[in-house]
Amino acid sequence: MFNKVSVVGLGYIGLPTAAVIASRGIEVIGLDVSQKAVDTINQGKVHIVEPDLDMVVQAAVTMGKLRASMTPEPADAFMIAVPTPFKDGNQPDLSYIEKAAKAIAPVLEKGNLVILESTSPVGATEKLAAWLQEYRPDLHFPGQGAAEPNVNVAHCPERVLPGRVLEELVSNDRIIGGLTPKCCDRAIQLYKHFVRGECIPTNARTAEMAKLTENSFRDVNIAFANELSIICDELKIDVWELIALANRHPRVNILRPGPGVGGHCIAVDPWFIVDSAPESARIIRTAREINDHKPEYVIGKVKAAADQFKRPVIACMGLAFKADIDDLRESPALDITLQLANANVGQILAVEPNIDCLPEKLQNKNIQLVSLPEALERANVLVVLVDHKPFKALSSNDINTKVVVDTRGLFSRF
Ligand code: SAJ
């Protein structure tokens, strides 16, 4: 029975997870280190942008099922959803997981279940069990000594797509990687409360690698598309037409080229595999390098376009890391805009319909945040960096007097 669940980390994954579990009638206590996040949630509001999340959080708080706090308290299960960024040299930084372990250890009890949801390098769940054992020598954790474990530990990686989190949280299949088969059984019991997809048991190491594999698969496929886009420029072929044609083959499914790969997942996770197996992870490393190089290539194209004008006015269309969100983390669009400004290529206009003011990084540069109509009025060079809905709605009449660098194929017929 799970009467009370504690969710550690109330960010893009933790908060929706906490709210959905609470909506199933289970008491949820959400833990976070940010007083502001805790206060916002306790008022029934949200501090992140995700469709419908505000409604679900408000309902759960109003029903008294969801509460946020900075102080850990006992619960039946603990779900850790904290960031796992990388440090210099592309090595995974597990310090947030270690801090979470330290925070919950004093309130753990026999029979508890501890789940790691954060995307993690292979071996992280074993490390989590070892940290917990260190902080609570009176309890028995799996893989730590000969005694029968009395706390269960599992890795159940999150797999939701930003922008569709609430839907995918419930409908996606879940990989349940227990440190022992009993850990798997307990974790499946918990997830069955709110997951409609299948809960598939495996061991923790395989679960860790499965999550990294999913994101690396996408990264490699996008790198293939990005490489094709550069080859096609050289050979004077429309890459969008090329990919559309190749994808007509029943066993070919090439993703779309872009200005580079952004976000905190696909641009980060493949490095965890490279770090674990540096000699063997060759295609995964190369894909990362190709995708990371793409912004530089785009900047070269924009400079060439700007050279055609005495007074170049460049509209960078989109700053987010992908369409129709406000998330600017690891965004190649933002990086390209910043580098164009730093290189004094011309007057830079940024068009980002999903934000109200420029991020700090872009302030005090030669960059103005403007509306789409103003950009179309003033710019002589358009750089399409994100395929936001309002940009997709433009017609060829809107752009035919401009020089266009289109990284998303918005104005391609294919
Ligand atoms: N991108 C392209 N071309 C494409 C598809 C995407 O250039 O054809 C770019 C996007 O513009 C963006 C980046 O890739 O900059 C990543 O976007 P995304 O939509 O592919 O993925 P994320 O980072 O929003 O979410 C991914 C998802 N993983 C997979 O689809 C395998 C999601 O399910 C994971 O839960 C999430 O990472 C995560 O948290 O790990």
Side-chain angles (χ1 to χ4, degrees), residues 74-369:
D76 301 308
F78 294 81
M79 302 172 88
I80 300 174
V82 294
T84 40
F86 54 27
K87 310 185 267 205
D88 289 347
N90 296 328
Q91 284 169 344
D93 173 4
L94 299 187
S95 60
Y96 294 91
I97 298 181
E98 190 176 2
K99 280 189 197 121
K102 202 168 184 177
I104 62 169
V107 298
L108 285 180
E109 291 166 358
K110 272 186 203 167
N112 278 171
L113 169 67
V114 179
I115 288 178
L116 179 61
E117 281 229 0
S118 314
T119 304
S120 298
V122 173
T125 313
E126 290 157 356
K127 271 199 185 129
L128 169 63
W131 282 320
L132 292 172
Q133 187 67 75
E134 189 186 325
Y135 302 132
R136 285 299 299 272
D138 57 315
L139 293 171
H140 301 302
F141 294 87
Q144 311 295 314
E148 180 68 19
N150 54 17
V151 176
N152 293 302
V153 181
H155 178 54
C156 307
E158 61 84 9
R159 309 165 99 184
V160 287
L161 194 73
R164 287 219 303 260
V165 168
L166 287 171
E167 179 203 327
E168 291 205 356
L169 203 56
V170 174
S171 62
N172 284 358
D173 291 341
R174 294 301 294 252
I175 300 172
I176 311 285
L179 282 180
T180 65
K182 197 170 160 218
C183 297
C184 271
D185 291 347
R186 284 288 285 158
I188 289 174
Q189 281 168 20
L190 174 61
Y191 280 87
K192 286 277 183 203
H193 281 287
F194 64 99
V195 170
R196 254 191 287 116
E198 208 179 316
C199 294
I200 308 150
T202 182
N203 60 53
R205 292 175 77 84
T206 309
E208 287 159 346
M209 187 62 182
K211 167 66 202 227
L212 302 178
T213 300
E214 290 161 15
N215 281 354
S216 299
F217 169 79
R218 208 160 159 82
D219 198 43
V220 170
N221 192 331
I222 298 167
F224 182 64
N226 277 332
E227 184 165 288
L228 283 176
S229 73
I230 295 173
I231 296 170
C232 283
D233 278 352
E234 274 171 41
L235 302 183
K236 306 211 180 326
I237 290 169
D238 180 336
V239 68
W240 308 100
E241 180 181 8
L242 174 86
I243 291 176
L245 291 174
N247 281 349
R248 289 293 191 97
H249 186 287
R251 284 175 294 284
V252 175
N253 184 14
I254 306 166
L255 287 171
R256 297 174 72 77
V261 167
H264 37 287
C265 309
I266 294 189
V268 175
D269 302 352
W271 287 120
F272 292 1
I273 300 181
V274 176
D275 183 63
S276 299
E279 297 297 320
S280 311
R282 291 189 295 163
I283 199 167
I284 297 172
R285 180 202 298 273
T286 305
R288 273 287 67 246
E289 287 166 355
I290 290 170
N291 287 334
D292 276 353
H293 168 72
K294 193 68 195 290
E296 205 180 307
Y297 177 78
V298 173
I299 289 166
K301 283 181 81 163
V302 178
K303 282 182 177 165
D307 276 349
Q308 299 174 39
F309 298 94
K310 213 163 158 199
R311 283 203 189 78
V313 181
I314 300 161
C316 293
M317 295 169 61
L319 294 175
F321 86 82
K322 65 176 184 177
D324 306 319
I325 58 167
D326 68 340
D327 194 337
L328 307 181
R329 286 178 293 175
E330 320 279 342
S331 171
L334 187 139
D335 183 36
I336 289 167
T337 306
L338 179 63
Q339 289 200 50
L340 287 171
N342 286 342
N344 280 323
V345 178
Q347 165 71 52
I348 308 290
L349 309 176
V351 190
E352 179 42 81
N354 300 308
I355 61 170
D356 300 324
C357 65
L358 281 178
E360 216 177 289
K361 247 180 159 178
L362 300 191
Q363 284 169 16
N364 305 320
K365 308 265 172 191
N366 184 22
I367 305 174
Q368 266 181 283
L369 184 66

